[in-house]
Amino acid sequence: MALMNFINRQFIDVIEWVDDSRDTLSFRFPDDDKQIKNDAQLIVRESQVAQFVYVGQFADTLGPGKHTLKTENIPILSDLLGWKYKFQTPFKCDVYYVTTRVFPGNKWGTANPVMMRDADFGVVRMRAFGTYDFKVVEPALFLKEVAGTDHQFRLDEFSDVMRSRIVSVFSEALATAKVPALDVATRYGELGEALLAPLNAVMREKYGLELTAFVVENVSVPPELEQAIDKRGAMTAIGNLNDYVKYNMGNALAEGKAGVAGVGAELAAGLAMGQSMLQGGGAGGMAAAPSQPGFVPGAGGAAAPSAGGGAALPELFTPEQVAEALAVTPADVLQELEAGTLQGRKIGSQWRITRSALDEFMKG
C-alpha cells in the first residue's frame, strides 16, 4: 500500500494556475520533476492559455476550459512523444500558462529628443510621452522571443524593451509624417491612432503582442523654441508692427518716460515717421510706405536725404526682412544677433538692424 502511494505521488493528476498578481505575463507550472498522468485534468481559466513545451519544442496550445489530457486532445504532443494507436503512458512535459488579458496604462517616453525638420523652425528637437495598452496574441512566439524559460515572467522585466521599441517606431512615424511643431499639440488623438498600425506590425512579428491602445499625452519642444513660439504669437496678436512701434514711441515721447537710454531710439522713430510723412505728402507726390506687419520705414528702399542736404538716414531692417534677404529663418537671424556676430539694436523686445551692420556681417 505504501509503495502504491509513493508511485501515485510521482504523477500529476491536475494542472492549474490561479493568478494572484496583476503583472504576470507567463508562469511555468511547477512539476517538481514529476510526470503527467495520461487522462490528467488541465484547467485553464479565462484570460489564460496553456502552452505545452516538450524538450524545447512547442506543442499544443489549449484555451480556457477543463481539458482531459489524452491523445485526441493533444495531437502535436502525442506525435512528439511517439504515441500511436492511443498508447497511454505518463509523460514529462513543461506547461506554461500565458496571460492573455489586456495590460493597461503602461508608460512610454523618449529618453532622448527626436530630431525632425519643421517647415516653420527648421531642425527641431522634440520629446514625447504617453501610455499604451497591450496583450499577448501569440503565446508560442511570446515565450520563444520574450519570456523564455523564466519561471514567472513579470511586466517590469519587459517594460524597458517595450519602451525602446515603441519610441523607435514613434520617432520614425513622427519624422515621416511631417506634422508642423505648432500643430502636433492639436493632433494627439489622431497621432496615437495613426501609430497603432505600424507599432502592431512590429510587435506581432517580433514579440507576439498587440497594442490595443496607444495614447500620446504630450509633445514638448526646447525652452528656446517655446519662447520663439510665444514671440510669434505676440507678434500675430499685435498685427501691424509699424503702427504699434509708432504708437508706443509717441506715448513715450509725450509722457517723457523713455529715459536717457531711449533717446536714440525715440529719435530714430521720429526721423522714420518724418520721412514717411515727407514721402506721403511731399511735392514729388511719392506714395506712402505700405502698412504691413514687420515693415520698418526706409527698409528695403533708398534712404531719403536729410532736410539740410547732409548724409542719408540709415536704413533699418527687422529680423524677418533680414531672414528673407538671406534666405534663412528668423530664428537663425535672432541667434546671430544674440551672439553678437550681427550687430543690431534691441528696442523693447524687438531687434532693428542697419544696412551698414548687415553689410559688415556679410563681409565676415
Side-chain angles (χ1 to χ4, degrees), residues 248-326:
N248 280 343
M249 290 300 180
N251 283 343
L253 286 168
E255 299 177 8
K257 295 181 179 179
V260 176
V263 171
E266 293 168 5
L267 180 59
L271 291 172
M273 285 188 287
Q275 179 189 15
S276 178
M277 293 172 62
L278 288 173
Q279 290 176 342
M286 295 177 63
S291 177
Q292 59 184 9
F295 175 79
V296 177
S306 63
L313 292 174
E315 297 180 14
L316 298 177
F317 298 94
T318 65
E320 288 76 14
Q321 290 171 325
V322 173
E324 183 177 358
L326 300 181

Side-chain angles (χ1 to χ4, degrees), residues 2-282:
L3 179 61
M4 291 301 298
N5 290 336
F6 172 77
I7 293 174
N8 288 334
R9 286 197 299 270
Q10 304 309 304
F11 302 117
I12 300 174
D13 294 315
V14 178
I15 301 173
E16 64 176 331
W17 173 55
V18 179
D19 184 9
D20 57 357
S21 70
R22 299 295 298 169
D23 63 347
T24 300
L25 289 166
S26 66
F27 177 81
R28 180 162 56 89
F29 180 76
D31 55 15
D32 299 324
D33 207 27
K34 297 179 181 179
Q35 291 184 316
I36 301 172
K37 285 180 60 176
N38 219 29
D39 294 334
Q41 299 298 308
L42 173 71
I43 300 174
V44 183
R45 290 173 170 78
E46 292 293 335
S47 300
Q48 293 179 349
V49 294
Q51 178 67 54
F52 286 86
V53 181
Y54 178 70
V55 292
Q57 300 183 63
F58 289 93
D60 302 273
T61 305
L62 300 181
K66 185 176 182 181
H67 308 274
T68 300
L69 301 182
K70 52 187 178 181
T71 308
E72 294 85 350
N73 290 348
I74 47 176
I76 300 176
L77 182 60
S78 299
D79 184 64
L80 292 175
L81 289 167
W83 286 350
K84 296 181 180 179
Y85 311 112
K86 301 183 181 180
F87 181 73
Q88 299 180 356
T89 57
F91 59 95
K92 189 76 170 63
C93 185
D94 291 325
V95 180
Y96 288 87
Y97 280 92
V98 179
T99 304
T100 58
R101 68 173 178 83
V102 174
F103 289 84
N106 304 281
K107 297 185 180 297
W108 66 273
T110 54
N112 298 307
V114 178
M115 303 294 291
M116 60 173 288
R117 292 188 179 275
D118 186 78
D120 298 317
F121 303 105
V123 178
V124 179
R125 292 178 288 113
M126 304 184 71
R127 292 181 180 272
F129 64 86
T131 60
Y132 65 94
D133 306 341
F134 78 97
K135 63 180 180 179
V136 179
V137 292
E138 297 184 31
L141 181 59
F142 172 76
L143 290 172
K144 177 183 178 182
E145 298 293 339
V146 181
T149 59
D150 199 321
H151 172 71
Q152 187 171 11
F153 188 79
R154 295 181 178 275
L155 183 60
D156 57 358
E157 300 179 57
F158 189 51
S159 57
D160 290 341
V161 177
M162 285 283 287
R163 186 181 301 113
S164 63
R165 177 61 66 176
I166 286 175
V167 168
S168 174
V169 177
F170 172 82
S171 302
E172 293 176 4
L174 186 62
T176 55
K178 297 181 179 179
V179 180
L182 295 175
D183 297 340
V184 169
T186 63
R187 302 173 68 174
Y188 285 167
E190 177 184 344
L191 188 60
E193 292 177 3
L195 287 172
L196 266 180
L199 282 169
N200 277 330
V202 175
M203 291 299 173
R204 286 195 191 98
E205 179 182 357
K206 184 68 176 177
Y207 304 118
L209 303 174
E210 178 182 297
L211 298 183
T212 57
F214 184 76
V215 179
V216 179
E217 294 182 355
N218 184 53
V219 176
S220 61
V221 295
E224 56 270 20
L225 183 55
E226 290 182 354
Q227 295 175 6
I229 293 174
D230 292 340
K231 289 180 180 179
R232 173 170 291 193
M235 291 173 63
T236 302
I238 289 171
N240 190 320
L241 186 59
N242 186 33
D243 292 343
Y244 178 75
V245 171
K246 290 179 181 179
Y247 174 78
N248 280 343
M249 290 300 180
N251 283 343
L253 286 168
E255 299 177 8
K257 295 181 179 179
V260 176
V263 171
E266 293 168 5
L267 180 59
L271 291 172
M273 285 188 287
Q275 179 189 15
S276 178
M277 293 172 62
L278 288 173
Q279 290 176 342

